[in-house]
Amino acid sequence: MDLVELARSLVRFRTEVPPGNEEGCARYIRDFLADLHIEGAELNLAKFEAGRANVVAKFGPDEPGLLLGGHIDVVPAGDESAWSHPPFEGVLKRGRLYGRGAADMKAGLAAILTAVEATVKGRRMRRGLLFVATAGEEVGFEGLKSLFARKLIPEGSARLGVMGEPTNLRPVRAHKGLADFRISITGRSGHASRPDLGVNAVEKCATIIEGLYAWGRILGKTNDSDLGSTIVTPTMVRGGTKSNVIPGSCELIVDTRWIPKHGTAFVEKGLNSMIASLRRKDPSLDARVELLYDSPSLKLPQTHPAVRLAESLSGKKSEVAPYGTEASLYTEHGIPSVVLGPGSLKQAHIVDEFVEVAEAKKALSIYTKLIESVCAG
Ligand SMILES: [Zn+2]
């Protein structure tokens, strides 16, 4: 199938999370692979919730080879009237494919699928090729975590992995880890005319945010040569019920991006001790920290064979990225992985998201060579 037409078809599936609804698109991908009639192929539509499914496909021998992966879900399109081109129609204009997920990452998925079609059919393979398309990547890697939990991707089942996320076809070999927390602050509500009788949970939240910034400055002193330092950022606040009522509760969401020498447990402990020290100064401060989700950091050395191969096939030097990807989860799972795909990160998650068709075609050629060099005999 033509790469561009395939990418357009994928964009037309509304796979926004929330709510998800990836199953239709997952079935389409599974059927695309089934229609190739590749002998010995194992195709699995792995449902994990109503309307939500991943695709896992295995081609060739058991000998671990290459894993090519990506995600089906997209972030919400938001106000569709703000788009110059409808976000789920796959509009093609002046060499660009527009739509939610065009860059992140349905063009990447289409390039991978087309590369599979071009290389695997009728070939004798020396090593296996694994293809994985996940759901719920944008919300804490739900789909991939369910595949690991159900042992549908055995540890070390590929010698290297490539995720087709948008990197402008420059290999990414390192990124920070991520941990998001909810801090629930409990106060005591009352009439706003008598703040002295209540405990204002929104005020306590402000104190915690100040504490976060102070702690952030301390964290900033520890540096990783590739990734810089751990950052903590308040991203959501919800509190209060009415303009004339002292808020009795407040919820603060904190996004943290940590370097490998720190990690989720370190950050969680740091948050708790920051709050404990605030409470010593103000015993009425009552806050509880809860981890919402986390994902590991990625750090492959530049000399790693997966990095070397990605660099040589793309013709570009590898770099580090500010965002998290499934590459880190696969690497932790014994499949050292890099990120390399068409489209720009700047295009991800924005209105009028697009991918350059020429770049998607280049990705197809890189993935084709990748499969040939790792798997084909
Ligand atoms: Zn993505």
Side-chain angles (χ1 to χ4, degrees):
M1 191 176 188
D2 176 63
L3 162 66
V4 181
E5 283 314 309
L6 180 57
R8 296 178 79 184
S9 305
L10 296 178
V11 167
R12 287 182 188 129
F13 285 96
R14 288 181 169 258
T15 53
E16 294 166 293
V17 276
N21 283 331
E22 297 97 336
E23 188 177 339
C25 190
R27 279 184 189 282
Y28 180 87
I29 290 171
R30 194 268 319 265
D31 293 347
F32 171 90
L33 292 169
D35 288 345
L36 300 178
H37 300 292
I38 297 166
E39 203 183 323
E42 291 170 28
L43 306 177
N44 188 355
L45 184 84
K47 292 172 69 160
F48 65 100
E49 259 175 42
R52 314 200 58 192
N54 306 291
V55 181
V56 181
K58 187 174 165 255
F59 307 97
D62 285 335
E63 175 69 20
L66 176 66
L67 173 121
L68 289 172
H71 62 87
I72 305 170
D73 58 310
V74 299
V75 295
D79 175 9
E80 297 190 19
S81 69
W83 289 65
S84 317
H85 313 287
F88 298 103
E89 282 186 14
V91 173
L92 208 52
K93 205 169 177 184
R94 288 193 209 98
R96 288 174 173 179
L97 168 62
Y98 287 88
R100 170 57 79 232
D104 186 14
M105 57 160 284
K106 286 173 169 172
L109 273 180
I112 290 171
L113 288 164
T114 323
V116 171
E117 180 180 22
T119 49
V120 176
K121 202 168 160 76
R123 290 282 188 91
R124 235 181 53 81
M125 292 168 74
R126 263 187 309 137
R127 300 195 181 94
L129 172 66
L130 266 177
F131 165 81
V132 183
T134 56
E137 188 269 352
E138 299 280 8
V139 283
F141 308 102
E142 292 173 321
L144 186 58
K145 285 178 179 171
S146 86
L147 288 174
F148 286 167
R150 290 162 62 196
K151 302 201 175 0
L152 293 174
I153 304 174
E155 270 185 55
S157 51
R159 56 171 57 192
L160 68 109
V162 173
M163 304 298 111
E165 296 267 14
T167 67
N168 283 125
L169 297 179
R170 185 179 286 280
V172 166
R173 63 178 175 83
H175 57 66
K176 289 177 183 170
L178 175 152
D180 278 3
F181 298 91
R182 178 192 292 128
I183 302 182
S184 305
I185 303 146
T186 308
R188 191 170 60 245
S189 64
H191 198 280
S193 64
R194 290 298 305 273
D196 54 308
L197 297 180
V199 174
N200 189 324
V202 167
E203 273 179 24
K204 304 301 175 200
C205 179
T207 307
I208 292 173
I209 292 175
E210 277 174 13
L212 278 179
Y213 281 109
W215 182 41
R217 281 192 292 277
I218 297 166
L219 288 171
K221 290 178 185 156
T222 307
N223 212 53
D224 177 285
S225 57
D226 279 324
L227 296 166
S229 48
T230 296
I231 51 174
V232 293
T233 312
T235 50
M236 289 169 78
V237 173
R238 190 163 52 210
T241 50
K242 212 164 173 288
S243 65
N244 61 357
V245 174
I246 301 290
S249 66
C250 186
E251 190 179 280
L252 170 66
I253 304 292
V254 180
D255 178 275
T256 72
R257 311 276 160 150
W258 46 260
I259 56 178
K261 68 155 37 158
H262 285 156
T264 296
F266 171 91
V267 177
E268 187 166 11
K269 210 169 142 217
L271 275 175
N272 277 308
S273 49
M274 186 264 289
I275 287 168
S277 89
L278 292 175
R279 193 180 299 128
R280 280 194 289 277
K281 287 179 227 151
D282 173 7
S284 69
L285 188 147
D286 178 2
R288 194 167 49 86
V289 176
E290 180 192 349
L291 173 67
L292 294 178
Y293 59 81
D294 68 336
S295 65
S297 62
L298 172 69
K299 193 168 174 171
L300 293 183
Q302 200 154 7
T303 50
H304 193 282
V307 178
R308 287 238 164 105
L309 182 60
E311 287 188 341
S312 93
L313 293 177
S314 65
K316 290 181 180 165
K317 202 168 161 300
S318 61
E319 57 181 12
V320 303
Y323 51 83
T325 69
E326 292 179 335
S328 61
L329 283 87
Y330 283 116
T331 301
E332 232 185 33
H333 201 63
I335 304 172
S337 299
V338 297
V339 194
L340 173 65
S344 163
L345 177 66
K346 287 191 201 120
Q347 285 301 320
H349 304 192
I350 63 164
V351 163
D352 287 337
E353 175 178 349
F354 71 84
V355 66
E356 301 280 355
V357 168
E359 203 169 292
K361 287 184 176 164
K362 247 185 236 168
L364 164 59
S365 130
I366 291 172
Y367 298 146
T368 304
K369 287 180 202 149
L370 196 58
I371 298 171
E372 280 169 348
S373 76
V374 181
C375 307

